[in-house]
Amino acid sequence: MPCRSLVAARRRGARPLAAALAFAAVSAWAQGAVATSPPAPPEVRNSALDAPLFYQLLIGEIEARQGQPGAAYQVILDAARRSRDELLFRRAVEIALQARAGEEALTATRAWRTALPRSQEALRTELQILSAMNRLDQAAEPLRALLAAATPAERSGIIAAVPGFLQRAADPARGARLVEEVLAPYLETPATRVAAQIAIGRARLTAGDGTRALELARQAHAADPAAQAPVLLALELLPSRPEAEPIVTDYAARPDAEPALLLLYARALTSTQRYAEALRQLETVTRRKPDLAPPYLTLGALHLELRHAAQGEAALRRYLELTEPAAAPASAASAAASGGGEDDRSHAPAQGRVQAWLMLAASAEQRGDYAAAERWLARVDAPERALEVQTRRASMLARQGRVDDARRLLQAMPGSEPKDLRARLDAEASMLRGVKRWKEAYEVMGQALKLQPDDPELLYEQSMLAEKLGRIDEMERLLRRVIELKPDNAHAYNALGYSLADRGQRLPEARDLIARALELAPGDPFITDSLGWVEFRLGNRARALELLQRAYASRPDAEIAAHLGEVLWADGRQDEARRVWAEARSRDADNEVLVETLKRLKVRP
């Protein structure tokens, strides 16, 4: 009699299965059941599939395809028990899971273990099912059995996989306690100590215990400074635990540091706008692996962001060389040899090349070489990037004084859906901001807001335009609305706090707003700059200098340089201030804050 839960899960209206399909399914199993001998000398072995078993499997598959999972499960599980075949046990579990019958899946898995006590796959499957069913009290035994059955060479790898077996548990804290309990003996053995520490650390991090996870990462790194697993755990901890970074930096300083980990570190630095530090990691990777393509794309983007046009364009051209069809296989081989597979697998060269062309076009536009910019844009043949390409062309027209032509170009873009109109309006406003047509940009953004009145991104952009037009009260109202809609928007807190600080108004409130922004985005150099600026306005010059130097070291931006130079100037360190300002002018001489600062302080460039 089929199990009630499986019968209840049958699919209504399923069409009968053609006999040929059923035969094909059974034949596939039969091919797996045949054990082939070594090539020399050739030997033929008979399949374990006899006539009764064949017809039993045929019936089971027909029942499954006809929407009778209960009957199919019973037939296939009986066949698995009689044949003691791992493929059939796996199929029985699969049928039960597809029918959302956890008890039957567990029963099949335990029958699997009984028939094949050495099967690691059976143990892993049982653990995953117990985790999904939130039966962690039953998971200790199969977990210990799995570890005991492993060879010494396999054991560290299995220990590392333990947190993954329990990742679906409804109670992560309980799962973490189980991992720590089961792995405790392996903490005492040098061969498995680091793996056990990291596995427990990952389980603790999943349970929200970052303090314990960090402690274990530090212990594992101290035990084996060359190990990669502690570094990976530290990178996962970085967003919430900045104090994990010394583990990463210590490893990154090693001459044998894995390039893939350096790329992950660079990505983490980039996500917090610590571009100067990210550049150093990427340059290390490209120096050690000059034929590895993906790092050059990020390297080029960062150099351009920091106004290093020559270096940025050189990196992007190198990327394009390496991703040419003829060069791509060699680059892929280099990536595999470097161990940088994860980053390279997630990297799509065709998309990367489009991105490189667009960045090179933007850089040429910044230099005023519009012909070169158009040549790069002409290479882009990606319909999904059409608006981006036209936005660049519109920007070039606007820079040449043809603003009306630029607007018409964007307004003529196809698409009648609201999302298409919003994208066109956003692009038009961006183009107008680029040529400082604040009022027109404000009006265009207002049209976008009519489509989506409570869009936090649009409200934020409109607040910045209101500030440019001197509508300070409106700017504050819009920013407070952004915070109301999205309380974790660090940029809104920072913009409001900085605006108050820059005007010397409500400075304690400004500091509180910026401090909150920094809590939401730890280490962000622009928010750190804002906090340094408000401390300067409050008269805390030493604290201001400390914060601004930290921000400038992380992101040598012209606006941060303007603030840092002013604090140095006020502190009587005029030569240092001039040096900082000179560096900033060499990268971005037209920066508004820098120009205004030098003019106000009557400093000659």
Side-chain angles (χ1 to χ4, degrees):
M1 177 71 66
C3 297
R4 181 181 302 244
S5 60
L6 284 174
V7 172
R10 73 178 58 176
R11 292 169 293 174
R12 298 184 183 275
R15 290 180 295 177
L17 170 69
L21 291 178
F23 183 81
V26 179
S27 297
W29 173 84
Q31 290 173 10
V34 176
T36 55
S37 58
E43 179 184 354
V44 176
R45 292 187 181 182
N46 292 327
S47 168
L49 183 65
D50 56 18
L53 182 57
F54 173 85
Y55 285 109
Q56 187 173 5
L57 296 177
L58 183 63
I59 291 167
E61 290 298 333
I62 289 174
E63 294 282 11
R65 295 300 180 96
Q66 288 186 330
Q68 304 288 340
Y73 167 82
Q74 294 286 9
V75 171
I76 298 295
L77 180 57
D78 180 67
R81 283 174 166 144
R82 290 198 303 110
S83 66
R84 299 167 60 86
D85 188 276
E86 199 145 29
L87 287 171
L88 294 183
F89 281 113
R90 186 188 305 140
R91 178 63 179 142
V93 172
E94 180 184 279
I95 291 170
L97 291 176
Q98 286 175 346
R100 300 183 181 277
E103 290 291 348
E104 285 72 22
L106 192 57
T107 297
T109 306
R110 287 172 172 168
W112 186 355
R113 283 189 61 190
T114 301
L116 300 165
R118 294 182 178 274
S119 172
Q120 290 192 8
E121 185 178 356
L123 286 164
R124 289 190 180 97
T125 304
E126 182 178 0
L127 283 168
Q128 290 165 345
I129 293 171
L130 288 169
S131 173
M133 296 174 70
N134 201 31
R135 293 190 183 178
L136 296 184
D137 54 319
Q138 300 175 36
E141 183 275 324
L143 191 51
R144 288 192 175 98
L146 180 63
L147 291 165
T151 66
E154 296 171 332
R155 192 162 288 130
S156 288
I158 293 174
I159 288 171
V162 165
F165 296 141
L166 305 175
Q167 65 185 358
R168 295 176 62 187
D171 186 350
R174 190 175 167 198
R177 289 193 296 272
L178 172 64
V179 171
E180 195 149 11
E181 174 190 336
V182 171
L183 295 184
Y186 300 97
L187 291 170
E188 307 303 320
T189 306
T192 56
R193 181 176 297 131
V194 169
Q197 287 169 329
I198 296 305
I200 296 168
R202 289 192 182 285
R204 286 294 178 188
L205 180 59
T206 301
D209 187 357
T211 300
R212 176 65 174 150
L214 176 58
E215 177 188 351
L216 288 160
R218 284 171 171 160
Q219 291 173 6
H221 180 64
D224 186 358
Q228 297 175 23
V231 183
L232 285 167
L233 179 54
L235 285 167
E236 290 181 45
L237 284 162
L238 270 183
S240 59
R241 300 276 171 168
E243 57 269 35
E245 191 165 7
I247 297 172
V248 185
T249 54
D250 184 61
Y251 175 83
R254 297 178 59 88
D256 59 347
E258 175 57 52
L261 288 181
L262 298 184
L263 288 176
L264 288 174
Y265 183 34
R267 186 180 301 165
L269 292 168
T270 302
S271 69
T272 54
Q273 299 188 52
R274 295 167 61 184
Y275 293 166
E277 295 162 271
L279 276 178
R280 287 195 288 273
Q281 299 304 321
L282 289 166
E283 285 167 349
T284 298
V285 174
T286 55
R287 187 168 58 251
R288 294 179 184 174
K289 299 289 180 182
D291 294 331
L292 188 60
Y296 287 100
L297 186 64
T298 308
L299 186 64
L302 292 183
H303 272 306
L304 293 183
E305 182 68 23
L306 293 172
R307 305 288 181 139
H308 304 157
Q311 298 96 314
E313 291 190 20
L316 293 172
R317 288 176 184 274
R318 177 61 177 156
Y319 171 80
L320 291 171
E321 288 174 11
L322 291 170
T323 54
E324 285 287 351
S331 181
S334 175
S338 76
E342 180 179 348
D343 192 83
D344 206 61
R345 280 194 299 271
S346 65
H347 174 75
Q351 296 176 10
R353 290 175 66 80
V354 169
Q355 192 175 345
W357 291 330
L358 289 168
M359 286 191 287
L360 284 164
S363 183
E365 178 190 338
Q366 288 289 332
R367 293 188 282 102
D369 189 348
Y370 302 125
E374 179 54 42
R375 285 195 296 273
W376 291 118
L377 291 176
R379 298 190 181 198
V380 180
D381 184 19
E384 70 277 8
R385 308 298 287 267
L387 180 59
E388 196 171 349
V389 170
Q390 293 298 73
T391 300
R392 290 254 62 88
R393 288 184 170 129
S395 176
M396 287 191 286
L397 288 171
R399 284 174 179 270
Q400 297 172 78
R402 299 169 58 189
V403 176
D404 291 341
D405 290 339
R407 298 185 72 171
R408 281 192 289 271
L409 181 66
L410 293 173
Q411 291 165 1
M413 288 294 294
S416 57
E417 296 294 323
K419 64 180 180 62
D420 300 321
L421 179 56
R422 183 253 168 90
R424 288 199 299 271
L425 291 170
D426 198 21
E428 188 176 351
S430 176
M431 178 272 296
L432 291 166
R433 282 197 303 268
V435 290
K436 301 182 181 179
R437 302 280 282 260
W438 311 121
K439 187 174 184 298
E440 291 160 278
Y442 177 88
E443 291 168 352
V444 171
M445 190 58 66
Q447 295 176 47
L449 274 167
K450 287 179 182 177
L451 296 173
Q452 296 174 295
D454 288 331
D455 185 296
E457 184 179 337
L458 295 179
L459 288 165
Y460 180 84
E461 293 299 332
Q462 188 73 320
S463 74
M464 296 297 95
L465 291 168
E467 188 268 339
K468 291 292 185 183
L469 293 170
R471 301 176 183 179
I472 304 303
D473 290 343
E474 183 181 359
M475 178 202 69
E476 182 169 343
R477 177 182 62 77
L478 290 167
L479 287 173
R480 292 195 184 279
R481 179 59 178 157
V482 173
I483 292 169
E484 180 185 348
L485 291 168
K486 195 174 181 184
D488 62 347
N489 190 313
H491 297 299
Y493 286 99
N494 180 56
L496 183 52
Y498 177 77
S499 174
L500 292 170
D502 201 43
R503 289 178 284 119
Q505 297 177 358
R506 292 147 50 197
L507 294 178
E509 180 186 355
R511 179 164 56 185
D512 290 344
L513 287 164
I514 297 168
R516 175 59 180 151
L518 207 53
E519 287 176 10
L520 293 167
D524 186 297
F526 286 114
I527 301 176
T528 303
D529 166 67
S530 297
L531 190 57
W533 192 235
V534 76
E535 292 288 1
F536 177 61
R537 293 287 193 172
L538 285 163
N540 304 324
R541 194 178 297 166
R543 175 63 174 157
L545 191 57
E546 174 194 344
L547 289 164
L548 291 168
Q549 286 174 329
R550 186 192 309 165
Y552 188 63
S554 178
R555 179 76 184 269
D557 178 82
E559 185 168 334
I560 299 175
H563 293 152
L564 174 58
E566 183 161 349
V567 175
L568 289 167
W569 189 270
D571 205 36
R573 298 158 67 175
Q574 280 84 2
D575 288 344
E576 291 180 63
R578 289 182 185 277
R579 177 181 55 77
V580 170
W581 287 329
E583 287 176 359
R585 290 191 76 257
S586 69
R587 289 189 294 268
D588 189 5
D590 296 328
N591 181 272
E592 291 180 11
V593 176
L594 179 60
V595 170
E596 185 278 329
T597 299
L598 296 176
K599 182 179 179 181
R600 176 166 43 81
L601 297 177
K602 300 179 180 178
V603 177
R604 295 181 63 185

